[in-house]
Amino acid sequence: EKDGHDWFMRKEIFEQPRAVADSLIGRRGAGGLLQLDEMRLADEEIRDLDKIIVIACGTSFYAGMVAKYAIEHWTRTPVEVELASEFRYRDPIVDNTTLVVAISQSGETADTLQAIRHAKSQGARVLAICNTNGSSIPRESDAVIYTHAGPEIGVASTKGFLTQLVACYLLALYVAQVKGTRYGDEIDEIMQQLEAMPDHIETVLESADAIYELARAHVGARSVLFLGRHAGYPVALEGALKLKELAYLHAEGFAAGELKHGPIALIEEGLPVLCVVPPRGRDQLHAKMLSGIQEVRARGARTICLAEEGDQAITPYADDLIRLPQVPVLLQPLVAIIPLQLFACELATALGHDVDQPRNLAKSVTVE
Ligand code: M6R
């Protein structure tokens, strides 16, 4: 049942190319137009949207952070992302021009369910991004985009996360199509880039052995930091969460630009810092990330850099280098998270932990 893998999690990591491909199937209808058929929201309702609020917990929340970058860039609609457990207790400003997007792999997370109930009571329209057919969250929502990850057994979400990212990109493109903020051929081009992602993910998975070796070399680490910028920032947070959950290690993700505002004080000799380097296309972003990496390295950090193929500028600053395929910055989370999942899985295995059933955690959190 684990297909020869030691853990469900590892099996699920390797299922990601398929899960992403499955989540893209059947999304284009006549004339190549995007169609989300579980989307029971009228075009006028989408055109009239003033604001989108994404609510979720844990890994799903990090998918929501990526969604903000994509939705705002492609649709010019303001997006807020909020932890479901915080949302309803702060008297949020929500009405019938607000679309609340609830992201939940299980569809049963109590914090998220309570948050959508509150949003609905305030008149908001609710769209669920969910992996579980007929679960409570999609049942109580006005519209649903189902992800097609298949059952996720490992408590740590992996393929659930990737398929949530795909659904968020699809939603963003769909809103762009309806609002007319992107032309058909632009949407087409991004869809083609998305359709190429399963092969890119496969390429990253081919470097699993090198990543495992790297992970085993860090068995003695007491703390690990993760740095990212732009869409790489939620990847850093998700990488840190994986390590907390599985290896019970202190791990923290930071926006690289925040380093100098405090976190750089944490850097000490030998501290492993995993850096998600943005693609070179966005020069500013890449150059700024590089200087952040230089700064932590100058203070003794051991840098493990995830950077795209052909990025030579990073080489002098990387103690270890993991190559990623060349993809646009907004889609980079789909490939950049893979090494971090593999790293956490292997490090936890080397520490002798139960990767599928980490201590103190449950697969669905059905209490607030
Ligand atoms: O089922 P959900 O997506 O609503 O779950 C949300 C979180 O509980 C979940 O992502 C949790 O953080 C995972 N254990 C992360 O690996």
Side-chain angles (χ1 to χ4, degrees):
E1 52 179 18
K2 292 181 200 150
D3 285 350
H5 291 284
D6 49 353
W7 306 111
F8 279 109
M9 181 193 181
R10 213 183 301 264
K11 168 176 174 260
E12 289 162 1
I13 291 173
F14 281 88
E15 282 171 352
Q16 292 180 117
R18 164 103 337 259
V20 166
D22 286 351
S23 296
L24 285 165
I25 285 174
R27 305 297 192 181
R28 292 213 265 184
L33 277 187
L34 266 185
Q35 53 174 25
L36 302 177
D37 40 27
E38 312 95 331
M39 180 99 175
R40 298 180 297 271
L41 287 175
D43 283 2
E44 306 82 77
E45 287 178 294
I46 292 175
R47 269 185 224 111
D48 291 346
L49 280 181
D50 282 342
K51 152 170 103 172
I52 296 177
I53 305 183
V54 183
I55 49 176
C57 307
T59 290
S60 303
F61 175 74
Y62 300 139
M65 287 179 70
V66 176
K68 176 183 167 80
Y69 289 90
I71 298 173
E72 290 194 341
H73 183 66
W74 291 331
T75 79
R76 311 311 298 152
T77 309
V79 180
E80 293 170 21
V81 191
E82 187 151 12
L83 293 168
S85 54
E86 289 295 321
F87 173 77
R88 78 187 183 121
Y89 297 104
R90 69 167 174 97
D91 194 13
I93 301 167
V94 175
D95 62 27
N96 60 1
T97 62
T98 313
L99 177 68
V100 167
V101 177
I103 309 179
S104 175
Q105 187 282 130
S106 63
E108 299 296 348
T109 299
D111 289 307
T112 312
L113 185 58
Q114 293 303 336
I116 67 168
R117 285 181 180 155
H118 180 74
K120 281 181 77 180
S121 75
Q122 305 296 300
R125 310 289 283 151
V126 176
L127 178 138
I129 291 178
C130 186
N131 194 47
T132 314
N133 258 287
S135 55
S136 305
I137 291 170
R139 263 204 331 266
E140 295 197 23
S141 299
D142 300 298
V144 191
I145 300 177
Y146 278 112
T147 52
H148 298 282
E152 191 180 62
I153 312 281
V155 164
S157 184
T158 53
K159 59 179 183 168
F161 178 64
L162 260 77
T163 58
Q164 288 168 342
L165 291 176
V166 169
C168 291
Y169 296 131
L170 290 170
L171 171 65
L173 292 174
Y174 186 79
V175 174
Q177 175 180 282
V178 175
K179 286 198 166 203
T181 51
R182 292 283 147 167
Y183 293 115
D185 48 357
E186 292 174 286
I187 294 178
D188 215 53
E189 190 188 329
I190 301 166
M191 282 303 289
Q192 281 173 29
Q193 290 165 344
L194 274 172
E195 282 154 3
M197 293 312 287
D199 285 345
H200 290 320
I201 297 165
E202 205 72 71
T203 305
V204 183
L205 288 169
E206 280 162 19
S207 49
D209 286 340
I211 297 162
Y212 292 158
E213 202 178 311
L214 203 58
R216 290 191 297 265
H218 286 86
V219 157
R222 283 175 34 239
S223 170
V224 180
L225 303 188
F226 293 75
L227 294 183
R229 283 192 87 108
H230 195 270
Y233 170 40
V235 174
L237 296 173
E238 167 63 2
L241 179 62
K242 291 284 93 92
L243 215 49
K244 286 174 202 158
E245 284 188 293
L246 302 172
Y248 316 148
L249 248 181
H250 171 253
E252 253 189 285
F254 297 106
E258 272 293 293
L259 270 176
K260 55 190 172 301
H261 300 290
I264 199 158
L266 290 169
I267 306 294
E268 55 185 25
E269 197 58 40
L271 181 79
V273 181
L274 280 121
C275 311
V276 183
V277 182
R280 287 157 300 164
R282 301 266 188 120
D283 281 337
Q284 280 290 316
L285 219 53
H286 182 264
K288 295 233 159 101
M289 185 70 198
L290 234 59
S291 75
I293 296 173
Q294 266 170 271
E295 274 169 24
V296 295
R297 198 157 181 274
R299 287 162 178 81
R302 181 169 178 86
T303 56
I304 305 170
C305 298
L306 278 55
E308 70 177 359
E309 214 54 73
D311 181 348
Q312 298 305 337
I314 187 72
T315 324
Y317 310 111
D319 291 306
D320 292 290
L321 188 52
I322 299 167
R323 285 298 182 184
L324 300 175
Q326 294 181 357
V327 298
V329 67
L330 278 171
L331 304 189
Q332 201 196 35
L334 286 170
V335 288
I337 192 57
I338 312 286
L340 306 186
Q341 296 169 339
L342 292 164
F343 186 87
C345 180
E346 185 64 12
L347 183 49
T349 305
L351 288 168
H353 299 327
D354 184 334
V355 166
D356 286 335
Q357 297 283 333
R359 69 181 182 201
N360 307 341
L361 294 175
K363 183 65 184 162
S364 4
V365 184
T366 51
V367 287
E368 268 190 86

